[in-house]
């Protein structure tokens, strides 16, 4: 049987897969089972920070694998400790909890916020404000945090205690704070799955002020926006605020599973032994990969990301078949006249991999994509738009 036949027969049908099998990747290029090559502007949904089969990542991971793969969190291990220090040094966070995915990073943040509120205000202060059109994960609790009904259908009841404000409408959040006993506000700085919609600066500053005034835990979900994707190491850095918790995953280890929940001053001592855990969390190989990724995200790379993002926006804004272009850095959404799914299919036929975000075409190229291949890909996208 072919891979496609095996997959269709044996893998749970949670994904509507595109009709190609990826067999190899190198930098921003991937190759399918027929040998056809594609410029990959999807990066495994914002995961392959430095593209495919990145040599430095391979070296970091294999060197660690040759020492040991896994020990459990009963013992100390250097990659976990060193990645935590690196993240703290680069962000001002004080402590990090490692897990395996974005949803888990958010679960950890939600538990921490409830624990903080229970201790400081009382157990009935458990409500968490998130935003409509947000996406925070697929577990029952992170689905509850996700402010989109389509993801909730037939999975009810979800975890209690989530209410939804409206993005860029600060009064909607103030009303929720006034009418509920709240623990936290949780938001994505750019709503990724919601159509690559950046929040406005005023709104984010407003959220930060409301959190301070009411002693709420301010949680930035940087699962998709983090690790250089938007042209800053973390997207909150564009907004002049410091969250109390930042969650991330996806691009942190460039392709190996990891989640991280970063605790800043107010939240650094919430957890104590026994309150939270994860068998694979802090896995030495994933953390070694994370060190390789984070230590290479420097000012030069970040300014390249910003420049490439501007290049994409300038190339496509006002172009035939484009209604609007949104996003930050190399996280771009294109509102198209044609159905986005048709544009994605045409791009694929023409040798470029892009994905959708709601009704938009979404671009998430590797941060180090060559300008030459980026230009080539944009020309193919243009051809596929009309
Ligand atoms: N939060 C955000 C903002 C995301 O974009 C995603 C995934 O797309 C998640 C959380 C969930 O991450 P994971 O699929 O790693 O659990």
């Amino acid at each position: 049987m072919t891979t496609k036949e095996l997959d269709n027969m044996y893998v749970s049908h949670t994904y509507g897969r595109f009709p190609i099998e990826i067999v190899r990747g190198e930098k921003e290029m991937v190759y399918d089972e027929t040998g056809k090559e594609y410029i990959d502007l999807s990066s495994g949904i914002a995961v392959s920070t430095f593209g495919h089969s990145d040599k430095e990542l391979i070296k970091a991971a294999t060197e660690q694998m040759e020492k040991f793969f896994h020990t459990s969190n009963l013992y100390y291990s250097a990659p976990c400790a060193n990645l935590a220090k690196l993240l703290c040094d680069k962000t001002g966070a004080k402590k990090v909890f490692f897990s395996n995915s974005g949803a888990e990073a958010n679960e950890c943040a939600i538990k921490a916020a409830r624990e903080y509120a229970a201790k400081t205000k009382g157990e009935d202060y458990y409500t968490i404000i998130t935003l409509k059109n947000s996406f925070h994960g697929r577990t029952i609790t992170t689905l509850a945090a996700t402010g989109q009904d389509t993801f909730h259908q037939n999975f009810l009841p979800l975890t209690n205690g989530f209410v939804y404000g409206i993005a860029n409408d600060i009064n909607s959040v103030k009303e929720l704070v006034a009418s509920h006993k709240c623990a936290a506000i949780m938001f994505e700085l750019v709503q990724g799955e919601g159509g690559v919609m950046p929040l406005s600066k005023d709104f984010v500053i407003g959220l930060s002020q409301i959190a301070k005034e009411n002693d709420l835990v301010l949680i930035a979900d940087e699962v998709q926006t983090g690790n250089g994707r938007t042209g800053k190491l973390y997207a909150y850095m564009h907004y002049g605020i410091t969250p109390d918790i930042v969650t991330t995953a996806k691009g942190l280890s460039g392709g190996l599973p990891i989640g991280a929940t970063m605790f800043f001053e107010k939240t650094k001592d919430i957890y104590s032994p026994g309150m939270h855990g994860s068998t694979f969390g802090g896995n030495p190989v994933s953390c070694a990969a994370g060190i390789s990724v984070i230590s290479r995200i420097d000012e030069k790379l970040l300014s390249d990301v910003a420049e490439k993002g501007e290049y994409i926006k300038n190339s496509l804004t006002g172009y035939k078949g484009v209604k609007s272009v949104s996003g930050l850095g190399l996280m771009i959404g294109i509102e198209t006249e044609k159905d986005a799914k048709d544009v994605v299919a045409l791009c694929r036929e023409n040798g470029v991999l892009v994905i959708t975000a709601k009704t938009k075409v979404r671009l998430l190229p590797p941060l180090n994509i060559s300008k030459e291949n980026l230009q080539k890909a944009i020309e193919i996208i243009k051809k596929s738009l009309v």
Side-chain angles (χ1 to χ4, degrees), residues 224-237:
Q224 193 161 154
T225 54
N227 314 303
R229 175 61 46 198
T230 68
K232 297 270 185 197
L233 183 58
Y234 291 97
Y236 76 81
M237 294 168 176

Side-chain angles (χ1 to χ4, degrees), residues 106 185-189 218-222 236 243 245-247:
N106 287 339
I185 304 175
M186 178 166 164
F187 59 99
E188 302 153 87
L189 290 137
L218 191 69
I219 306 170
D221 176 345
E222 297 240 25
Y236 76 81
I245 297 180
V246 172
T247 63

Side-chain angles (χ1 to χ4, degrees), residues 171-183:
N171 287 329
S172 74
V173 177
K174 283 185 184 161
E175 279 164 23
L176 291 173
V177 173
S179 54
H180 294 80
K181 291 182 173 176
C182 292

Side-chain angles (χ1 to χ4, degrees), residues 78-100:
C80 170
N82 287 328
L83 180 58
K85 177 181 188 306
L86 191 56
L87 289 170
C88 288
D89 286 350
K90 293 221 173 202
T91 62
K94 304 292 178 202
K95 293 263 192 284
V96 185
F97 177 85
F98 290 113
S99 51
N100 314 285

Side-chain angles (χ1 to χ4, degrees), residues 15 45-47 100-106 134-139 142 146 186-194 221-225 247-250 258-259 331 362:
Y15 305 105
I45 322 185
V47 168
N100 314 285
S101 67
E104 285 170 88
N106 287 339
S134 57
F135 185 84
H136 296 292
R138 300 280 192 164
T139 62
T142 56
T146 293
M186 178 166 164
F187 59 99
E188 302 153 87
L189 290 137
V190 182
Q191 294 188 324
E193 303 304 307
D221 176 345
E222 297 240 25
V223 168
Q224 193 161 154
T225 54
T247 63
T248 194
K250 286 188 180 281
I258 193 165
M331 184 173 175
R362 179 168 31 157

